[in-house]
Amino acid sequence: MLDHIRAGAKGRGSCPAGTNNRDLSFDFAKGILITLVIIGHLLQYLIYQGTDAFWLSPYFKSIYMFHMPLFMAISGYLSSGAILRKSFTQGVGERAMQILLPMLFWCTLIWTLKSAAIFPTKSLTDNLLDLSTEVIGTYWFIWAAFISFILIRVLTTFNRLSMWIISASAIAVAFAPITLSIAPLLKYTYPFYCLGFLFAQPIGWQNGLIWRYKSIFVVLFSIAAFICFLGWGKETYAYNNLVLIHDEQSAKQVFLM
């Protein structure tokens, strides 16, 4: 089964020179998600000025219900080709260069400017501690995507059983009682990354099943979205960053992802 999927991935990835096989709809979706994140931050800090009132905003709730899961699902979908076509070393190395290196550069640049202009009296040890917190905490979603990539790449080595194992791992991680550092954030992102990866595979059942029962799926999805909207709030928000949030005061100073 995995050999067939690898062949399909190679077929999708091998196009004549000069042709553009890029699906621009994903770029459009990512652009929309980035815009929604900015709007969410504006609501949190400009409209509601850092108070807890933003939790009750229907606009804020609508954005934060889905934007991170969808971002991870798109990442998993787009990473499918690299996971299946490339060796472990090549795939992980290229992924690190694509997402970790820019993140480290940007984080170091911001940290340097803050250390020089805002916190010039801090000791080097405190500044380095702040840098590590920024790298791990502020950019946790980058680490979540990178770790998800590695986990799925490892699980694809099981050949015929790999798709079943990846599905089982998504369920296991979602229900795992992990509470350390950014691990809770990973448990709520890895399953969506897996979902995107699985839907990228040329199995054929996805489109047939979805289009055949499209109306039913729309109704079920609408009901689920409505229930989530009613139940979503400060107590049920899954992406609270335990690296940066220590108490009520620090929670107000953190951009919610």
Side-chain angles (χ1 to χ4, degrees):
M1 178 180 178
L2 186 59
D3 293 336
H4 171 70
I5 292 174
R6 290 185 192 277
K10 289 181 179 179
R12 292 195 305 272
S14 57
C15 54
T19 61
N20 186 0
N21 201 33
R22 187 181 184 90
D23 190 345
L24 297 180
S25 62
F26 288 105
D27 294 312
F28 179 77
K30 289 188 290 184
I32 292 295
L33 290 175
I34 292 172
T35 303
L36 289 176
V37 169
I38 295 174
I39 293 174
H41 289 167
L42 291 176
L43 287 171
Q44 184 182 355
Y45 280 92
L46 292 184
I47 305 301
Y48 294 98
Q49 299 180 353
T51 65
D52 286 343
F54 65 86
W55 290 103
L56 302 177
S57 168
Y59 308 106
F60 190 87
K61 291 173 67 174
S62 300
I63 293 172
Y64 276 71
M65 274 175 51
F66 77 93
H67 78 294
M68 185 56 69
L70 183 56
F71 170 78
M72 285 296 165
I74 292 176
S75 297
Y77 188 97
L78 296 178
S79 298
S80 172
I83 290 173
L84 295 175
R85 292 198 309 267
K86 299 176 181 178
S87 67
F88 180 85
T89 303
Q90 182 185 8
V92 173
E94 290 183 359
R95 188 61 47 174
M97 292 293 292
Q98 290 171 355
I99 64 176
L100 293 188
L101 187 60
M103 179 267 291
L104 291 173
F105 172 79
W106 177 255
C107 190
T108 303
L109 176 63
I110 296 298
W111 170 78
T112 303
L113 295 175
K114 287 170 61 177
S115 299
I118 303 177
F119 306 114
T121 59
K122 276 192 173 183
S123 66
L124 178 61
T125 302
D126 289 338
N127 279 325
L128 290 176
L129 182 61
D130 289 343
L131 176 61
S132 64
T133 301
E134 285 284 322
V135 170
I136 298 173
T138 302
Y139 299 95
W140 66 267
F141 54 95
I142 300 293
W143 291 106
F146 184 66
I147 294 172
S148 297
F149 180 93
I150 294 176
L151 289 177
I152 293 181
R153 181 61 187 85
V154 170
L155 294 178
T156 56
T157 59
F158 290 95
N159 293 323
R160 294 182 179 275
L161 295 176
S162 62
M163 296 301 129
W164 292 103
I165 294 175
I166 290 172
S167 301
S169 72
I171 298 173
V173 168
F175 288 96
I178 47 180
T179 58
L180 178 65
S181 187
I182 63 171
L185 302 174
L186 178 63
K187 70 178 290 186
Y188 295 116
T189 49
Y190 175 72
F192 295 105
Y193 197 98
C194 290
L195 186 64
F197 172 81
L198 293 173
F199 265 83
Q201 310 315 315
I203 301 174
W205 61 267
Q206 306 103 319
N207 290 333
L209 182 65
I210 291 174
W211 283 107
R212 181 181 301 177
Y213 302 103
K214 180 173 64 175
S215 299
I216 296 177
F217 276 107
V218 169
V219 172
L220 292 177
F221 180 80
S222 300
I223 293 174
F226 181 70
I227 294 174
C228 290
F229 183 84
L230 294 178
W232 191 95
K234 184 177 181 180
E235 295 76 18
T236 57
Y237 182 61
Y239 300 105
N240 286 314
N241 195 331
L242 300 182
V243 176
L244 301 177
I245 297 178
H246 310 289
D247 50 35
E248 185 175 349
Q249 181 60 34
S250 62
K252 295 179 180 180
Q253 300 171 354
V254 173
F255 281 135
L256 293 181
M257 290 295 120

